[in-house]
Amino acid sequence: MIVEYIRYRVPTAAEEFEAAYRRAVVPLGQAPQCLDYELSRCVDEPECYILRIAWTSAEDHMVGFRSSTPFAEFFAEIKPYVSNIEEMRHYEQTIVKTEPTLFDWAGGAEAFEQLTEVFYRHVIADDLIGPLFAHMSPGHPKHVAIWLSEVFGGPDRYTSELGGYPRMLAHHLGKHIREDQRRRWVSLLMDAADEVGLPGDPEFRAAFFGYIEWGTRIAVQNSQPGATPPAQAPVPHWGWGVAPPYQP
């Protein structure tokens, strides 16, 4: 990741400038190279603004974004204010206060392997969803642990070693999973989380459950007859959302 800072001095027509950027950030936010953005106005010198944009890389910004349709739309809105730019630079982050990933908070790869080992023991003994996993490979629980680890901020082993999103998608296509089966899967997983001692703080469990609920609903949709989900997509990355971990 690289961070771009653009310093503007806009001595007049501040409302028009901000309105132009409200329009400009629509195509900016749609660009895959843009991770996030923020426009701030100086309290001490109200004519000064700082635009911060986090890019996937400097090359992605300078080459990928600037040759794209979103850039043309973005630039059309902010072009009248280019002459107001006083500085425009890319910066690498050096000292950053960061939150622990959900992966680290949970206890790392070992915690997720314990979770899926216990979970799938309950799954195969369950009358409702056990038949769905009657022909499960011996390595399936560990593969799911690797998937969850990557989703929650751990190593990208599912992507680099196990086929990434297309492999996970293939496990659900044509399975016609029912809603009652989905709910039982979620219930057993949350019980397994208690059994193996995953962190029980409200912030972690809310984030953990949020992904499980989201992911299983997508799995149900993708499993239906005639479903046409995208064939290529990245493994999702799940964070704390609105409630980061409580750290006294």
Side-chain angles (χ1 to χ4, degrees), residues 32-148:
Q33 301 88 352
C34 175
L35 298 174
D36 61 59
Y37 56 82
E38 177 184 4
L39 180 66
S40 301
R41 188 176 189 179
C42 181
V43 175
D44 305 305
E45 296 183 74
E47 69 271 20
C48 294
Y49 288 84
I50 294 290
L51 175 67
R52 179 191 61 80
I53 306 176
W55 301 101
T56 48
S57 70
E59 182 179 4
D60 286 347
H61 169 215
M62 301 298 291
V63 179
F65 176 68
R66 290 199 173 184
S67 62
S68 68
T69 299
F71 170 74
E73 298 172 355
F74 169 81
F75 189 74
E77 297 292 349
I78 60 96
K79 185 177 180 180
Y81 303 98
V82 170
S83 61
N84 296 96
I85 294 175
E86 295 186 329
E87 181 183 11
M88 182 167 55
R89 295 284 188 275
H90 291 109
Y91 293 84
E92 291 181 339
Q93 293 179 325
T94 53
I95 301 174
V96 182
K97 179 182 177 182
T98 60
E99 296 170 351
T101 63
L102 291 164
F103 170 79
D104 290 331
W105 194 264
E110 182 179 356
F112 285 105
E113 289 181 12
Q114 291 175 350
L115 171 69
T116 55
E117 181 181 349
V118 169
F119 168 64
Y120 279 103
R121 283 207 304 263
H122 294 313
V123 164
I124 60 177
D126 186 81
D127 292 339
L128 180 60
I129 63 173
L132 294 175
F133 296 89
H135 303 291
M136 177 179 66
S137 70
H140 185 73
K142 186 171 183 178
H143 291 172
V144 174
I146 292 172
W147 169 271
L148 292 175

